[in-house]
C-alpha cells in the first residue's frame, strides 16, 4: 500500500472507531454498572440503573450516541518509534475527528477560546487534544480515544499539598472534590487520582488513571490498598446513580503515580461518568488493528 492509501485507510478506521465510541460503552464499564445494579437495594437507584441500561440498548439499536454530550475529542497515543505513520498521525486524527463528527454524528463541542465561537466541526486550536508517549523500538501504536463531556470534566481539580499533609491530605482532597462536585459528573463515577510533584504532572496522571480498566489495580500494593480504601469510603457516602442516593458512589478509584519531589505532593482528580466513553485500539505496523476496550466490534 502506498503512503497516501495507508493514511486514508487509517483515517477511515479512526473515524469509524471514534464515532463508535460515542455510541457504545466499553465492556468493563457495562459489566461494572450491571454489577452495581445487582448489588443495589435502593428502589430509586435500581430504577435509574435500569433506565441507563435501556438507554444503552436504545442507542445500540438506533445507532445513536449513548449520551447527548459527545464531548471534546481527546487521543492518548503511545506510539512506537518505528510506527510507519508516526509523522502523519496528527493529521490522521484531525481528519478522523472531522469525519466522525459527520458519521456519528457527534455534537459540536469545540468553542474557540477568546473568540467564543463554536467551530461546528469538533476541531479547533489544539483540538482534538493529543497526548503523546513514544515507545522505543516498537512498530505499533496504541491509541485511547476519550470523549471529555462537560459534566464528567467539571469536577477535575489539582493542587500541590505541603509535604506534611501526607496521604491523609491526598484522601481529604479526593473527598472534597467528589463531595462538592462529583454529582455534576453523573455518578457512579470512575475516579482517577494522580499523585506526583506538580499540578500538571498530577493532572495528566489522573486522566491516564481513568483510561485504565475499571477494576484494575496500581502495581504498588500500598497504592492498590489506597485505591480500595478510597473506593469503600466514597461508596459509604451513598451518592448513588445520578446523585439520587444509593449503595454506590463510584465504579472504582484508579491511582497513577510518579516519584516526586520530597517537599511537595501534587495531587489531582479526574472523573469519568457512568457513560464513560473511552476506547482503546492497537494499530499494527501493517495497519491491521485490534480493539481492546470493546468486545465483538465490527467497524
Ligand atoms: S456527565 Fe456523562 S452521562 Fe452525564 S451528561 Fe455528561 S457525558 Fe452525559
Amino acid at each position: 500500500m502506498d503512503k497516501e492509501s495507508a493514511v486514508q485507510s487509517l483515517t477511515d478506521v479512526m473515524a469509524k472507531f471514534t464515532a463508535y465510541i460515542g455510541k457504545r460503552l466499553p465492556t468493563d464499564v457495562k459489566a461494572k454498572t450491571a454489577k452495581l445494579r445487582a448489588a443495589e437495594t435502593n428502589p430509586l437507584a435500581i430504577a435509574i440503573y435500569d433506565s441507563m441500561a435501556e438507554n444503552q440498548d436504545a442507542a445500540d439499536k438506533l445507532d445513536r450516541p449513548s449520551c447527548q454530550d459527545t464531548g471534546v475529542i481527546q487521543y492518548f497515543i503511545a506510539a512506537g518509534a518505528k510506527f510507519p505513520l508516526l509523522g502523519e498521525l496528527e493529521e490522521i486524527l484531525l481528519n478522523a475527528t472531522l469525519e466522525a463528527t459527520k458519521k456519528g454524528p457527534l455534537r459540536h463541542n469545540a468553542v474557540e477560546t477568546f473568540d467564543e465561537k463554536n467551530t461546528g466541526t469538533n476541531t479547533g486550536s489544539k483540538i482534538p487534544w493529543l497526548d503523546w508517549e513514544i515507545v522505543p523500538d516498537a512498530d505499533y501504536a496504541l491509541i485511547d480515544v476519550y470523549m471529555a463531556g462537560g459534566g464528567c470534566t467539571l469536577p477535575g481539580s489539582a493542587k500541590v499539598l505541603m509535604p506534611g499533609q501526607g496521604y491523609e491530605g491526598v484522601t481529604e482532597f479526593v473527598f472534597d472534590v467528589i463531595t462538592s462536585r462529583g454529582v455534576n459528573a453523573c455518578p457512579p463515577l470512575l475516579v482517577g487520582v494522580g499523585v506526583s510533584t506538580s499540578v500538571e504532572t498530577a493532572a495528566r496522571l489522573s486522566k491516564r488513571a481513568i483510561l485504565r480498566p475499571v477494576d484494575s489495580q496500581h502495581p504498588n500494593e500500598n497504592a492498590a490498598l489506597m485505591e480500595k480504601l478510597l473506593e469503600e469510603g466514597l461508596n459509604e457516602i451513598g451518592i448513588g446513580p445520578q446523585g439520587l442516593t444509593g449503595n454506590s458512589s463510584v465504579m472504582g478509584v484508579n491511582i497513577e503515580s510518579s516519584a516526586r519531589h520530597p517537599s511537595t505532593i501534587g495531587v489531582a482528580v479526574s472523573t469519568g461518568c457512568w457513560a464513560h466513553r473511552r476506547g482503546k485500539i492497537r494499530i499494527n505496523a501493517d495497519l491491521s488493528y485490534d480493539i481492546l476496550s470493546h468486545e465483538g466490534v465490527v467497524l
Side-chain angles (χ1 to χ4, degrees):
M1 200 188 300
D2 61 34
K3 196 155 223 175
E4 199 179 321
S5 311
V7 166
Q8 192 50 52
S9 157
L10 186 52
T11 305
D12 285 349
V13 168
M14 288 309 301
K16 284 183 189 152
F17 187 55
T18 303
Y20 182 89
I21 295 310
K23 297 173 188 171
R24 285 158 192 107
L25 298 183
T27 306
D28 64 324
V29 171
K30 281 185 90 168
K32 186 70 189 206
T33 45
K35 202 168 154 192
L36 296 181
R37 154 70 174 91
E40 185 57 70
T41 52
N42 176 322
L44 177 58
I46 290 172
I48 292 167
Y49 280 121
D50 288 346
S51 134
M52 286 169 170
E54 271 171 41
N55 179 299
Q56 293 314 296
D57 286 346
D60 197 10
K61 282 192 194 108
L62 301 169
D63 198 32
R64 290 189 190 155
S66 48
C67 173
Q68 89 289 343
D69 183 358
T70 50
V72 161
I73 311 301
Q74 303 180 331
Y75 295 103
F76 293 78
I77 307 147
K82 296 179 185 160
F83 181 64
L85 297 180
L86 189 58
E88 287 75 23
L89 255 187
E90 185 170 344
E91 189 194 342
I92 287 170
L93 294 174
L94 175 76
N95 287 326
T97 300
L98 288 168
E99 202 49 39
T101 299
K102 290 187 217 145
K103 272 201 173 89
L106 306 179
R107 198 176 80 180
H108 303 159
N109 285 315
V111 172
E112 275 302 348
T113 306
F114 295 117
D115 294 339
E116 292 306 310
K117 281 215 171 85
N118 193 319
T119 64
T121 60
N122 274 326
T123 65
S125 314
K126 300 192 198 314
I127 295 296
W129 184 264
L130 306 186
D131 179 287
W132 288 94
E133 274 182 53
I134 298 296
V135 187
D137 291 330
D139 62 0
Y140 61 85
L142 274 172
I143 304 177
D144 287 286
V145 183
Y146 180 68
M147 297 192 162
C152 49
T153 302
L154 263 173
S157 195
K159 193 174 181 180
V160 179
L161 306 179
M162 298 295 276
Q165 288 180 266
Y167 296 101
E168 292 82 357
V170 170
T171 304
E172 196 179 344
F173 180 77
V174 172
F175 272 73
D176 279 353
V177 170
I178 300 303
T179 52
S180 57
R181 288 191 137 194
V183 77
N184 289 295
C186 293
L189 309 173
L190 178 57
V191 179
V193 182
V195 185
S196 183
T197 293
S198 48
V199 280
E200 83 287 2
T201 56
R204 185 167 184 256
L205 289 170
S206 72
K207 194 59 169 284
R208 288 204 159 266
I210 59 170
L211 300 178
R212 256 176 46 203
V214 170
D215 281 328
S216 60
Q217 286 185 336
H218 193 293
N220 177 291
E221 67 180 40
N222 290 328
L225 176 62
M226 192 164 184
E227 288 176 333
K228 182 170 172 286
L229 293 175
L230 284 171
E231 178 176 347
E232 287 171 3
L234 289 169
N235 281 338
E236 273 179 29
I237 299 171
I239 294 173
Q242 294 293 8
L244 293 168
T245 71
N247 300 356
S248 307
S249 311
V250 298
M251 288 191 272
V253 177
N254 289 350
I255 298 177
E256 287 282 304
S257 58
S258 74
R260 61 181 171 80
H261 190 287
S263 305
T264 68
I265 305 173
V267 56
V269 168
S270 291
T271 45
C273 57
W274 73 268
H276 189 42
R277 276 78 42 85
R278 61 151 154 64
K280 190 188 272 298
I281 188 167
R282 178 189 158 115
I283 313 286
N284 302 311
D286 63 0
L287 300 192
S288 62
Y289 61 86
D290 303 297
I291 292 172
L292 307 175
S293 50
H294 294 64
E295 278 166 12
V297 184
V298 181
L299 289 181

